[in-house]
Amino acid sequence: MAHAEPRSTPRREGAIGVLTGATYGVVHTLSGHPLDNVKARLQLDPGFHRASSAAAIRAMWAEGGLRAFFRGCLHPMWGSAIYRAVMISGYEGCYTWFEQTMPEDSVWKAEYLGCVRPMVVASAVATTLARVVVEAPIEQSKVMRQTGRAWEWHSLYRGVAWQTVRTAALLTLIFVPYDAARRKAPELFRSMTGQLAIVSSVCAFSYAAAWPLETLKNCAQAGVPSPGASLYERVRFLGGLRGLYRGAGPGVLCGALRNGCAMLAMNGLANPLATRLGLRDVEAG
């Protein structure tokens, strides 16, 4: 689903997805980490709770210059390569299995509400479960480092429930409209500009819709206001329901930018290279 190359077998597409997903992950982190740091400070640092995005950027620059925007980058960069390898591998394997195994009139391939196909939702949920196992401890350590605190081994899976819910919502809201756009407007995917526009738009919509879950996930992972805080206590810590959208400006922009850049690297370079190297030279079964 995520590429336009001739599709091989589910197992082979899953294997290729490890390589292309790793490419996606590295570019994803490098292109978006500065804005991600701004978002984290707005959400989790009480000193920034009344600041605008522009004010937060100025304060972070005064605090540490360029280094302040790349604080905590190393862990999520290698972590992103790993868990996005898992994500793309899992998604492409599941999607290809449904595509090649299920008959065309199957309920899994039917379209509901004008754009939703159950095979896409099932593939997104399956890859969420695989991704969270790898991603949760990396994200937790990243959030702690972004806010200037040391991470601890015993808390690496803190907030995993919120991580799972947030990731399932985020991926479903990305893959469903992306799948619909690829099927209904394939001409948009014939240029890199068109791909960038589609991916950025879909990801911006997804991040905006799921942003309260992103905020609660970060609070749970950072253990604020306390590791065992209730939902009510976290909303109160954030300053009320409006606080659930704190950091949404740089966060949504970051999600659109980094996923757009990562998709271009994956589909403009990595997937065509895999085809040219003959990694797909097996008849689909």
Side-chain angles (χ1 to χ4, degrees):
M1 169 273 188
H3 65 78
E5 300 298 310
R7 196 165 285 273
S8 185
T9 63
R11 180 177 297 179
R12 186 158 286 223
E13 287 297 328
I16 294 170
V18 172
L19 302 176
T20 58
T23 301
Y24 190 108
V26 170
V27 175
H28 183 277
T29 298
L30 291 177
S31 61
H33 197 77
L35 283 172
D36 193 56
N37 267 0
V38 175
K39 175 264 294 182
R41 294 295 292 274
L42 286 168
Q43 289 177 328
L44 304 175
D45 189 335
F48 282 72
H49 278 188
R50 295 184 180 276
S52 66
S53 297
I57 290 171
R58 289 194 297 269
M60 288 173 64
W61 182 264
E63 176 186 285
L66 188 63
R67 184 176 180 180
F69 295 91
F70 282 93
R71 178 181 293 138
C73 182
L74 185 60
H75 278 209
M77 184 170 67
W78 65 257
S80 181
I82 294 172
Y83 69 71
R84 284 190 167 81
V86 171
M87 181 185 79
I88 297 298
S89 173
Y91 189 86
E92 291 296 351
C94 288
Y95 183 93
T96 305
W97 184 84
F98 278 113
E99 184 70 26
Q100 296 181 0
T101 304
M102 296 297 163
E104 290 303 313
D105 60 354
S106 167
V107 66
W108 292 100
K109 291 185 176 181
E111 186 176 72
Y112 301 91
L113 302 176
C115 65
V116 181
R117 294 200 295 169
M119 62 178 284
V120 175
V121 176
S123 297
V125 172
T127 199
T128 291
L129 299 177
R131 168 177 161 170
V132 164
V133 172
V134 180
E135 179 185 25
I138 298 168
E139 279 289 292
Q140 199 275 341
S141 65
K142 180 194 80 171
V143 166
M144 295 295 282
R145 286 177 178 272
Q146 283 176 324
T147 52
R149 292 178 289 167
W151 58 272
E152 301 170 314
W153 285 105
H154 67 83
S155 63
L156 286 183
Y157 275 94
R158 185 168 62 203
V160 69
W162 282 111
Q163 179 87 24
T164 303
V165 173
R166 167 265 196 185
T167 303
L170 199 64
L171 294 185
T172 300
L173 290 171
I174 289 174
F175 286 137
V176 166
Y178 186 88
D179 173 70
R182 182 174 286 284
R183 290 182 291 108
K184 298 184 178 187
E187 65 279 0
L188 295 176
F189 293 85
R190 292 175 188 150
S191 69
M192 300 300 281
T193 303
Q195 288 190 45
L196 179 62
I198 289 294
V199 174
S200 298
S201 299
V202 165
C203 289
F205 162 74
S206 175
Y207 274 78
W211 196 255
L213 297 175
E214 170 72 14
T215 302
L216 291 169
K217 182 268 294 183
N218 284 345
C219 286
Q221 288 176 326
V224 294
S226 64
S230 66
L231 176 60
Y232 171 76
E233 289 171 328
R234 289 196 171 114
V235 172
R236 187 174 63 179
F237 166 78
L238 291 165
L241 293 177
R242 286 184 62 184
L244 291 174
Y245 284 91
R246 182 170 291 115
V252 171
L253 178 60
C254 175
L257 171 67
R258 66 188 349 181
N259 281 285
C261 291
M263 184 65 78
L264 288 183
M266 185 175 74
N267 284 346
L269 298 173
N271 266 307
L273 179 60
T275 300
R276 288 198 300 271
L277 292 175
L279 300 182
R280 290 191 167 93
D281 289 348
V282 174
E283 291 186 5

PDB file of all heavy atoms in Angstrom, residues 112-150:
ATOM      1  N   TYR A 112     -16.354   1.004   2.944  1.00  0.00           N
ATOM      2  CA  TYR A 112     -17.439   1.513   3.771  1.00  0.00           C
ATOM      3  C   TYR A 112     -17.230   2.999   4.028  1.00  0.00           C
ATOM      4  O   TYR A 112     -16.092   3.480   4.090  1.00  0.00           O
ATOM      5  CB  TYR A 112     -17.501   0.757   5.101  1.00  0.00           C
ATOM      6  CG  TYR A 112     -17.705  -0.732   4.931  1.00  0.00           C
ATOM      7  CD1 TYR A 112     -16.616  -1.593   4.833  1.00  0.00           C
ATOM      8  CD2 TYR A 112     -18.986  -1.266   4.833  1.00  0.00           C
ATOM      9  CE1 TYR A 112     -16.803  -2.958   4.658  1.00  0.00           C
ATOM     10  CE2 TYR A 112     -19.188  -2.627   4.657  1.00  0.00           C
ATOM     11  CZ  TYR A 112     -18.086  -3.466   4.570  1.00  0.00           C
ATOM     12  OH  TYR A 112     -18.265  -4.814   4.386  1.00  0.00           O
ATOM     13  N   LEU A 113     -18.321   3.722   4.169  1.00  0.00           N
ATOM     14  CA  LEU A 113     -18.285   5.163   4.444  1.00  0.00           C
ATOM     15  C   LEU A 113     -17.485   5.934   3.391  1.00  0.00           C
ATOM     16  O   LEU A 113     -16.941   6.995   3.653  1.00  0.00           O
ATOM     17  CB  LEU A 113     -17.690   5.427   5.831  1.00  0.00           C
ATOM     18  CG  LEU A 113     -18.415   4.759   7.015  1.00  0.00           C
ATOM     19  CD1 LEU A 113     -17.658   5.032   8.314  1.00  0.00           C
ATOM     20  CD2 LEU A 113     -19.849   5.247   7.114  1.00  0.00           C
ATOM     21  N   GLY A 114     -17.400   5.363   2.195  1.00  0.00           N
ATOM     22  CA  GLY A 114     -16.753   6.051   1.095  1.00  0.00           C
ATOM     23  C   GLY A 114     -15.246   5.918   1.012  1.00  0.00           C
ATOM     24  O   GLY A 114     -14.647   6.322   0.021  1.00  0.00           O
ATOM     25  N   CYS A 115     -14.600   5.360   2.071  1.00  0.00           N
ATOM     26  CA  CYS A 115     -13.136   5.289   2.017  1.00  0.00           C
ATOM     27  C   CYS A 115     -12.527   4.189   2.883  1.00  0.00           C
ATOM     28  O   CYS A 115     -11.363   3.843   2.699  1.00  0.00           O
ATOM     29  CB  CYS A 115     -12.519   6.635   2.418  1.00  0.00           C
ATOM     30  SG  CYS A 115     -12.815   7.100   4.131  1.00  0.00           S
ATOM     31  N   VAL A 116     -13.278   3.615   3.816  1.00  0.00           N
ATOM     32  CA  VAL A 116     -12.698   2.686   4.797  1.00  0.00           C
ATOM     33  C   VAL A 116     -12.776   1.251   4.302  1.00  0.00           C
ATOM     34  O   VAL A 116     -13.861   0.738   4.008  1.00  0.00           O
ATOM     35  CB  VAL A 116     -13.429   2.797   6.153  1.00  0.00           C
ATOM     36  CG1 VAL A 116     -12.794   1.843   7.169  1.00  0.00           C
ATOM     37  CG2 VAL A 116     -13.395   4.230   6.662  1.00  0.00           C
ATOM     38  N   ARG A 117     -11.621   0.586   4.228  1.00  0.00           N
ATOM     39  CA  ARG A 117     -11.570  -0.836   3.909  1.00  0.00           C
ATOM     40  C   ARG A 117     -11.073  -1.600   5.137  1.00  0.00           C
ATOM     41  O   ARG A 117     -10.019  -1.257   5.702  1.00  0.00           O
ATOM     42  CB  ARG A 117     -10.649  -1.098   2.726  1.00  0.00           C
ATOM     43  CG  ARG A 117     -11.148  -0.519   1.414  1.00  0.00           C
ATOM     44  CD  ARG A 117     -10.491  -1.190   0.207  1.00  0.00           C
ATOM     45  NE  ARG A 117      -9.064  -0.927   0.152  1.00  0.00           N
ATOM     46  CZ  ARG A 117      -8.234  -1.568  -0.673  1.00  0.00           C
ATOM     47  NH1 ARG A 117      -8.698  -2.524  -1.479  1.00  0.00           N
ATOM     48  NH2 ARG A 117      -6.949  -1.273  -0.700  1.00  0.00           N
ATOM     49  N   PRO A 118     -11.800  -2.628   5.581  1.00  0.00           N
ATOM     50  CA  PRO A 118     -11.392  -3.372   6.781  1.00  0.00           C
ATOM     51  C   PRO A 118      -9.975  -3.913   6.714  1.00  0.00           C
ATOM     52  O   PRO A 118      -9.292  -3.979   7.738  1.00  0.00           O
ATOM     53  CB  PRO A 118     -12.418  -4.508   6.845  1.00  0.00           C
ATOM     54  CG  PRO A 118     -13.649  -3.931   6.220  1.00  0.00           C
ATOM     55  CD  PRO A 118     -13.137  -3.073   5.103  1.00  0.00           C
ATOM     56  N   MET A 119      -9.489  -4.289   5.534  1.00  0.00           N
ATOM     57  CA  MET A 119      -8.125  -4.815   5.428  1.00  0.00           C
ATOM     58  C   MET A 119      -7.086  -3.770   5.812  1.00  0.00           C
ATOM     59  O   MET A 119      -6.028  -4.092   6.365  1.00  0.00           O
ATOM     60  CB  MET A 119      -7.857  -5.334   4.011  1.00  0.00           C
ATOM     61  CG  MET A 119      -7.950  -4.301   2.913  1.00  0.00           C
ATOM     62  SD  MET A 119      -7.567  -4.987   1.264  1.00  0.00           S
ATOM     63  CE  MET A 119      -5.776  -5.115   1.352  1.00  0.00           C
ATOM     64  N   VAL A 120      -7.384  -2.520   5.536  1.00  0.00           N
ATOM     65  CA  VAL A 120      -6.465  -1.442   5.899  1.00  0.00           C
ATOM     66  C   VAL A 120      -6.479  -1.217   7.404  1.00  0.00           C
ATOM     67  O   VAL A 120      -5.426  -1.071   8.039  1.00  0.00           O
ATOM     68  CB  VAL A 120      -6.833  -0.150   5.150  1.00  0.00           C
ATOM     69  CG1 VAL A 120      -5.958   1.015   5.604  1.00  0.00           C
ATOM     70  CG2 VAL A 120      -6.697  -0.351   3.647  1.00  0.00           C
ATOM     71  N   VAL A 121      -7.671  -1.210   7.995  1.00  0.00           N
ATOM     72  CA  VAL A 121      -7.785  -1.027   9.446  1.00  0.00           C
ATOM     73  C   VAL A 121      -7.118  -2.187  10.180  1.00  0.00           C
ATOM     74  O   VAL A 121      -6.365  -1.980  11.143  1.00  0.00           O
ATOM     75  CB  VAL A 121      -9.263  -0.912   9.864  1.00  0.00           C
ATOM     76  CG1 VAL A 121      -9.388  -0.818  11.383  1.00  0.00           C
ATOM     77  CG2 VAL A 121      -9.915   0.302   9.201  1.00  0.00           C
ATOM     78  N   ALA A 122      -7.369  -3.414   9.732  1.00  0.00           N
ATOM     79  CA  ALA A 122      -6.767  -4.589  10.363  1.00  0.00           C
ATOM     80  C   ALA A 122      -5.246  -4.548  10.259  1.00  0.00           C
ATOM     81  O   ALA A 122      -4.532  -4.871  11.220  1.00  0.00           O
ATOM     82  CB  ALA A 122      -7.313  -5.864   9.722  1.00  0.00           C
ATOM     83  N   SER A 123      -4.724  -4.142   9.119  1.00  0.00           N
ATOM     84  CA  SER A 123      -3.274  -4.050   8.939  1.00  0.00           C
ATOM     85  C   SER A 123      -2.687  -2.973   9.843  1.00  0.00           C
ATOM     86  O   SER A 123      -1.607  -3.150  10.414  1.00  0.00           O
ATOM     87  CB  SER A 123      -2.941  -3.744   7.474  1.00  0.00           C
ATOM     88  OG  SER A 123      -3.362  -4.779   6.624  1.00  0.00           O
ATOM     89  N   ALA A 124      -3.400  -1.862   9.998  1.00  0.00           N
ATOM     90  CA  ALA A 124      -2.922  -0.781  10.863  1.00  0.00           C
ATOM     91  C   ALA A 124      -2.894  -1.216  12.321  1.00  0.00           C
ATOM     92  O   ALA A 124      -1.939  -0.924  13.050  1.00  0.00           O
ATOM     93  CB  ALA A 124      -3.815   0.451  10.694  1.00  0.00           C
ATOM     94  N   VAL A 125      -3.933  -1.923  12.768  1.00  0.00           N
ATOM     95  CA  VAL A 125      -3.989  -2.385  14.166  1.00  0.00           C
ATOM     96  C   VAL A 125      -2.916  -3.435  14.428  1.00  0.00           C
ATOM     97  O   VAL A 125      -2.241  -3.414  15.459  1.00  0.00           O
ATOM     98  CB  VAL A 125      -5.391  -2.938  14.499  1.00  0.00           C
ATOM     99  CG1 VAL A 125      -5.392  -3.601  15.874  1.00  0.00           C
ATOM    100  CG2 VAL A 125      -6.424  -1.817  14.453  1.00  0.00           C
ATOM    101  N   ALA A 126      -2.742  -4.364  13.489  1.00  0.00           N
ATOM    102  CA  ALA A 126      -1.729  -5.412  13.665  1.00  0.00           C
ATOM    103  C   ALA A 126      -0.332  -4.818  13.764  1.00  0.00           C
ATOM    104  O   ALA A 126       0.472  -5.209  14.625  1.00  0.00           O
ATOM    105  CB  ALA A 126      -1.798  -6.404  12.504  1.00  0.00           C
ATOM    106  N   THR A 127      -0.032  -3.861  12.909  1.00  0.00           N
ATOM    107  CA  THR A 127       1.305  -3.270  12.951  1.00  0.00           C
ATOM    108  C   THR A 127       1.474  -2.364  14.158  1.00  0.00           C
ATOM    109  O   THR A 127       2.590  -2.187  14.666  1.00  0.00           O
ATOM    110  CB  THR A 127       1.608  -2.507  11.644  1.00  0.00           C
ATOM    111  OG1 THR A 127       3.013  -2.327  11.524  1.00  0.00           O
ATOM    112  CG2 THR A 127       0.922  -1.160  11.590  1.00  0.00           C
ATOM    113  N   THR A 128       0.377  -1.797  14.682  1.00  0.00           N
ATOM    114  CA  THR A 128       0.446  -1.022  15.925  1.00  0.00           C
ATOM    115  C   THR A 128       0.955  -1.884  17.073  1.00  0.00           C
ATOM    116  O   THR A 128       1.845  -1.490  17.827  1.00  0.00           O
ATOM    117  CB  THR A 128      -0.940  -0.470  16.299  1.00  0.00           C
ATOM    118  OG1 THR A 128      -1.320   0.542  15.352  1.00  0.00           O
ATOM    119  CG2 THR A 128      -0.933   0.150  17.692  1.00  0.00           C
ATOM    120  N   LEU A 129       0.379  -3.086  17.220  1.00  0.00           N
ATOM    121  CA  LEU A 129       0.757  -3.968  18.322  1.00  0.00           C
ATOM    122  C   LEU A 129       2.229  -4.365  18.235  1.00  0.00           C
ATOM    123  O   LEU A 129       2.927  -4.428  19.250  1.00  0.00           O
ATOM    124  CB  LEU A 129      -0.142  -5.205  18.325  1.00  0.00           C
ATOM    125  CG  LEU A 129      -1.634  -4.916  18.514  1.00  0.00           C
ATOM    126  CD1 LEU A 129      -2.442  -6.208  18.420  1.00  0.00           C
ATOM    127  CD2 LEU A 129      -1.888  -4.225  19.847  1.00  0.00           C
ATOM    128  N   ALA A 130       2.708  -4.609  17.014  1.00  0.00           N
ATOM    129  CA  ALA A 130       4.118  -4.964  16.841  1.00  0.00           C
ATOM    130  C   ALA A 130       5.012  -3.759  17.111  1.00  0.00           C
ATOM    131  O   ALA A 130       6.057  -3.867  17.762  1.00  0.00           O
ATOM    132  CB  ALA A 130       4.349  -5.491  15.431  1.00  0.00           C
ATOM    133  N   ARG A 131       4.594  -2.597  16.644  1.00  0.00           N
ATOM    134  CA  ARG A 131       5.411  -1.389  16.786  1.00  0.00           C
ATOM    135  C   ARG A 131       5.542  -0.957  18.234  1.00  0.00           C
ATOM    136  O   ARG A 131       6.629  -0.555  18.671  1.00  0.00           O
ATOM    137  CB  ARG A 131       4.787  -0.272  15.942  1.00  0.00           C
ATOM    138  CG  ARG A 131       5.369   1.109  16.219  1.00  0.00           C
ATOM    139  CD  ARG A 131       4.766   2.159  15.315  1.00  0.00           C
ATOM    140  NE  ARG A 131       4.974   3.498  15.857  1.00  0.00           N
ATOM    141  CZ  ARG A 131       4.722   4.621  15.192  1.00  0.00           C
ATOM    142  NH1 ARG A 131       4.269   4.573  13.951  1.00  0.00           N
ATOM    143  NH2 ARG A 131       4.921   5.794  15.758  1.00  0.00           N
ATOM    144  N   VAL A 132       4.448  -1.033  18.993  1.00  0.00           N
ATOM    145  CA  VAL A 132       4.458  -0.524  20.363  1.00  0.00           C
ATOM    146  C   VAL A 132       5.453  -1.268  21.246  1.00  0.00           C
ATOM    147  O   VAL A 132       6.090  -0.672  22.120  1.00  0.00           O
ATOM    148  CB  VAL A 132       3.035  -0.588  20.962  1.00  0.00           C
ATOM    149  CG1 VAL A 132       3.062  -0.454  22.471  1.00  0.00           C
ATOM    150  CG2 VAL A 132       2.171   0.516  20.369  1.00  0.00           C
ATOM    151  N   VAL A 133       5.606  -2.562  21.020  1.00  0.00           N
ATOM    152  CA  VAL A 133       6.553  -3.347  21.823  1.00  0.00           C
ATOM    153  C   VAL A 133       7.952  -2.754  21.731  1.00  0.00           C
ATOM    154  O   VAL A 133       8.689  -2.672  22.720  1.00  0.00           O
ATOM    155  CB  VAL A 133       6.554  -4.817  21.356  1.00  0.00           C
ATOM    156  CG1 VAL A 133       7.667  -5.600  22.056  1.00  0.00           C
ATOM    157  CG2 VAL A 133       5.208  -5.469  21.635  1.00  0.00           C
ATOM    158  N   VAL A 134       8.321  -2.312  20.532  1.00  0.00           N
ATOM    159  CA  VAL A 134       9.655  -1.752  20.310  1.00  0.00           C
ATOM    160  C   VAL A 134       9.689  -0.262  20.633  1.00  0.00           C
ATOM    161  O   VAL A 134      10.658   0.257  21.202  1.00  0.00           O
ATOM    162  CB  VAL A 134      10.093  -1.979  18.843  1.00  0.00           C
ATOM    163  CG1 VAL A 134      11.484  -1.414  18.596  1.00  0.00           C
ATOM    164  CG2 VAL A 134      10.053  -3.461  18.506  1.00  0.00           C
ATOM    165  N   GLU A 135       8.607   0.439  20.286  1.00  0.00           N
ATOM    166  CA  GLU A 135       8.607   1.900  20.370  1.00  0.00           C
ATOM    167  C   GLU A 135       8.447   2.438  21.780  1.00  0.00           C
ATOM    168  O   GLU A 135       9.065   3.465  22.125  1.00  0.00           O
ATOM    169  CB  GLU A 135       7.468   2.455  19.493  1.00  0.00           C
ATOM    170  CG  GLU A 135       7.355   3.968  19.520  1.00  0.00           C
ATOM    171  CD  GLU A 135       6.154   4.472  18.745  1.00  0.00           C
ATOM    172  OE1 GLU A 135       5.178   3.711  18.590  1.00  0.00           O
ATOM    173  OE2 GLU A 135       6.194   5.621  18.307  1.00  0.00           O
ATOM    174  N   ALA A 136       7.641   1.811  22.612  1.00  0.00           N
ATOM    175  CA  ALA A 136       7.286   2.372  23.917  1.00  0.00           C
ATOM    176  C   ALA A 136       8.497   2.748  24.770  1.00  0.00           C
ATOM    177  O   ALA A 136       8.578   3.880  25.275  1.00  0.00           O
ATOM    178  CB  ALA A 136       6.363   1.415  24.668  1.00  0.00           C
ATOM    179  N   PRO A 137       9.475   1.855  24.968  1.00  0.00           N
ATOM    180  CA  PRO A 137      10.616   2.256  25.800  1.00  0.00           C
ATOM    181  C   PRO A 137      11.475   3.348  25.172  1.00  0.00           C
ATOM    182  O   PRO A 137      12.036   4.183  25.879  1.00  0.00           O
ATOM    183  CB  PRO A 137      11.412   0.951  25.960  1.00  0.00           C
ATOM    184  CG  PRO A 137      10.982   0.087  24.834  1.00  0.00           C
ATOM    185  CD  PRO A 137       9.560   0.442  24.572  1.00  0.00           C
ATOM    186  N   ILE A 138      11.561   3.362  23.845  1.00  0.00           N
ATOM    187  CA  ILE A 138      12.345   4.392  23.163  1.00  0.00           C
ATOM    188  C   ILE A 138      11.675   5.759  23.311  1.00  0.00           C
ATOM    189  O   ILE A 138      12.318   6.764  23.596  1.00  0.00           O
ATOM    190  CB  ILE A 138      12.522   4.033  21.682  1.00  0.00           C
ATOM    191  CG1 ILE A 138      13.303   2.721  21.549  1.00  0.00           C
ATOM    192  CG2 ILE A 138      13.226   5.152  20.919  1.00  0.00           C
ATOM    193  CD1 ILE A 138      13.282   2.126  20.171  1.00  0.00           C
ATOM    194  N   GLU A 139      10.352   5.784  23.132  1.00  0.00           N
ATOM    195  CA  GLU A 139       9.607   7.025  23.281  1.00  0.00           C
ATOM    196  C   GLU A 139       9.671   7.544  24.710  1.00  0.00           C
ATOM    197  O   GLU A 139       9.791   8.750  24.947  1.00  0.00           O
ATOM    198  CB  GLU A 139       8.144   6.802  22.869  1.00  0.00           C
ATOM    199  CG  GLU A 139       7.903   6.843  21.384  1.00  0.00           C
ATOM    200  CD  GLU A 139       8.036   8.244  20.826  1.00  0.00           C
ATOM    201  OE1 GLU A 139       7.194   9.105  21.148  1.00  0.00           O
ATOM    202  OE2 GLU A 139       9.001   8.495  20.087  1.00  0.00           O
ATOM    203  N   GLN A 140       9.603   6.620  25.681  1.00  0.00           N
ATOM    204  CA  GLN A 140       9.656   7.043  27.077  1.00  0.00           C
ATOM    205  C   GLN A 140      10.996   7.682  27.405  1.00  0.00           C
ATOM    206  O   GLN A 140      11.066   8.746  28.031  1.00  0.00           O
ATOM    207  CB  GLN A 140       9.397   5.833  27.988  1.00  0.00           C
ATOM    208  CG  GLN A 140       8.966   6.191  29.402  1.00  0.00           C
ATOM    209  CD  GLN A 140      10.143   6.467  30.323  1.00  0.00           C
ATOM    210  OE1 GLN A 140      11.269   6.075  30.042  1.00  0.00           O
ATOM    211  NE2 GLN A 140       9.889   7.150  31.424  1.00  0.00           N
ATOM    212  N   SER A 141      12.084   7.073  26.956  1.00  0.00           N
ATOM    213  CA  SER A 141      13.408   7.645  27.224  1.00  0.00           C
ATOM    214  C   SER A 141      13.591   8.967  26.482  1.00  0.00           C
ATOM    215  O   SER A 141      14.218   9.897  26.990  1.00  0.00           O
ATOM    216  CB  SER A 141      14.505   6.654  26.833  1.00  0.00           C
ATOM    217  OG  SER A 141      14.530   6.409  25.440  1.00  0.00           O
ATOM    218  N   LYS A 142      13.002   9.075  25.273  1.00  0.00           N
ATOM    219  CA  LYS A 142      13.093  10.323  24.515  1.00  0.00           C
ATOM    220  C   LYS A 142      12.396  11.463  25.245  1.00  0.00           C
ATOM    221  O   LYS A 142      12.948  12.559  25.396  1.00  0.00           O
ATOM    222  CB  LYS A 142      12.461  10.155  23.132  1.00  0.00           C
ATOM    223  CG  LYS A 142      12.517  11.416  22.276  1.00  0.00           C
ATOM    224  CD  LYS A 142      11.604  11.331  21.066  1.00  0.00           C
ATOM    225  CE  LYS A 142      10.162  11.625  21.465  1.00  0.00           C
ATOM    226  NZ  LYS A 142       9.273  11.768  20.281  1.00  0.00           N
ATOM    227  N   VAL A 143      11.173  11.201  25.730  1.00  0.00           N
ATOM    228  CA  VAL A 143      10.411  12.225  26.426  1.00  0.00           C
ATOM    229  C   VAL A 143      11.157  12.693  27.677  1.00  0.00           C
ATOM    230  O   VAL A 143      11.200  13.887  27.986  1.00  0.00           O
ATOM    231  CB  VAL A 143       9.006  11.693  26.786  1.00  0.00           C
ATOM    232  CG1 VAL A 143       8.317  12.597  27.797  1.00  0.00           C
ATOM    233  CG2 VAL A 143       8.144  11.587  25.530  1.00  0.00           C
ATOM    234  N   MET A 144      11.750  11.758  28.407  1.00  0.00           N
ATOM    235  CA  MET A 144      12.494  12.121  29.613  1.00  0.00           C
ATOM    236  C   MET A 144      13.696  12.998  29.258  1.00  0.00           C
ATOM    237  O   MET A 144      13.968  14.000  29.921  1.00  0.00           O
ATOM    238  CB  MET A 144      12.950  10.857  30.342  1.00  0.00           C
ATOM    239  CG  MET A 144      11.807  10.012  30.893  1.00  0.00           C
ATOM    240  SD  MET A 144      10.861  10.852  32.185  1.00  0.00           S
ATOM    241  CE  MET A 144      11.963  10.642  33.583  1.00  0.00           C
ATOM    242  N   ARG A 145      14.432  12.655  28.212  1.00  0.00           N
ATOM    243  CA  ARG A 145      15.602  13.434  27.817  1.00  0.00           C
ATOM    244  C   ARG A 145      15.206  14.802  27.272  1.00  0.00           C
ATOM    245  O   ARG A 145      15.910  15.787  27.469  1.00  0.00           O
ATOM    246  CB  ARG A 145      16.422  12.659  26.780  1.00  0.00           C
ATOM    247  CG  ARG A 145      17.212  11.499  27.382  1.00  0.00           C
ATOM    248  CD  ARG A 145      17.939  10.711  26.306  1.00  0.00           C
ATOM    249  NE  ARG A 145      18.736   9.644  26.889  1.00  0.00           N
ATOM    250  CZ  ARG A 145      19.998   9.778  27.299  1.00  0.00           C
ATOM    251  NH1 ARG A 145      20.593  10.947  27.198  1.00  0.00           N
ATOM    252  NH2 ARG A 145      20.658   8.762  27.818  1.00  0.00           N
ATOM    253  N   GLN A 146      14.075  14.867  26.561  1.00  0.00           N
ATOM    254  CA  GLN A 146      13.629  16.143  26.013  1.00  0.00           C
ATOM    255  C   GLN A 146      13.338  17.154  27.117  1.00  0.00           C
ATOM    256  O   GLN A 146      13.491  18.357  26.928  1.00  0.00           O
ATOM    257  CB  GLN A 146      12.369  15.951  25.163  1.00  0.00           C
ATOM    258  CG  GLN A 146      12.641  15.352  23.782  1.00  0.00           C
ATOM    259  CD  GLN A 146      11.360  15.092  23.020  1.00  0.00           C
ATOM    260  OE1 GLN A 146      10.336  14.718  23.599  1.00  0.00           O
ATOM    261  NE2 GLN A 146      11.398  15.296  21.722  1.00  0.00           N
ATOM    262  N   THR A 147      12.881  16.650  28.259  1.00  0.00           N
ATOM    263  CA  THR A 147      12.546  17.534  29.373  1.00  0.00           C
ATOM    264  C   THR A 147      13.663  17.604  30.410  1.00  0.00           C
ATOM    265  O   THR A 147      13.459  18.031  31.538  1.00  0.00           O
ATOM    266  CB  THR A 147      11.235  17.069  30.037  1.00  0.00           C
ATOM    267  OG1 THR A 147      11.323  15.668  30.371  1.00  0.00           O
ATOM    268  CG2 THR A 147      10.055  17.280  29.101  1.00  0.00           C
ATOM    269  N   GLY A 148      14.869  17.148  30.019  1.00  0.00           N
ATOM    270  CA  GLY A 148      16.045  17.324  30.858  1.00  0.00           C
ATOM    271  C   GLY A 148      16.140  16.402  32.047  1.00  0.00           C
ATOM    272  O   GLY A 148      16.823  16.728  33.031  1.00  0.00           O
ATOM    273  N   ARG A 149      15.488  15.225  31.987  1.00  0.00           N
ATOM    274  CA  ARG A 149      15.548  14.273  33.100  1.00  0.00           C
ATOM    275  C   ARG A 149      16.137  12.953  32.624  1.00  0.00           C
ATOM    276  O   ARG A 149      16.050  12.610  31.447  1.00  0.00           O
ATOM    277  CB  ARG A 149      14.147  14.040  33.678  1.00  0.00           C
ATOM    278  CG  ARG A 149      13.588  15.269  34.377  1.00  0.00           C
ATOM    279  CD  ARG A 149      12.197  15.024  34.893  1.00  0.00           C
ATOM    280  NE  ARG A 149      11.236  14.941  33.798  1.00  0.00           N
ATOM    281  CZ  ARG A 149       9.993  14.498  33.937  1.00  0.00           C
ATOM    282  NH1 ARG A 149       9.572  14.066  35.112  1.00  0.00           N
ATOM    283  NH2 ARG A 149       9.174  14.464  32.905  1.00  0.00           N
ATOM    284  N   ALA A 150      16.707  12.219  33.549  1.00  0.00           N
ATOM    285  CA  ALA A 150      17.311  10.933  33.208  1.00  0.00           C
ATOM    286  C   ALA A 150      16.232   9.853  33.133  1.00  0.00           C
ATOM    287  O   ALA A 150      15.311   9.820  33.953  1.00  0.00           O
ATOM    288  CB  ALA A 150      18.360  10.552  34.261  1.00  0.00           C
TER     289      ALA A 150
END
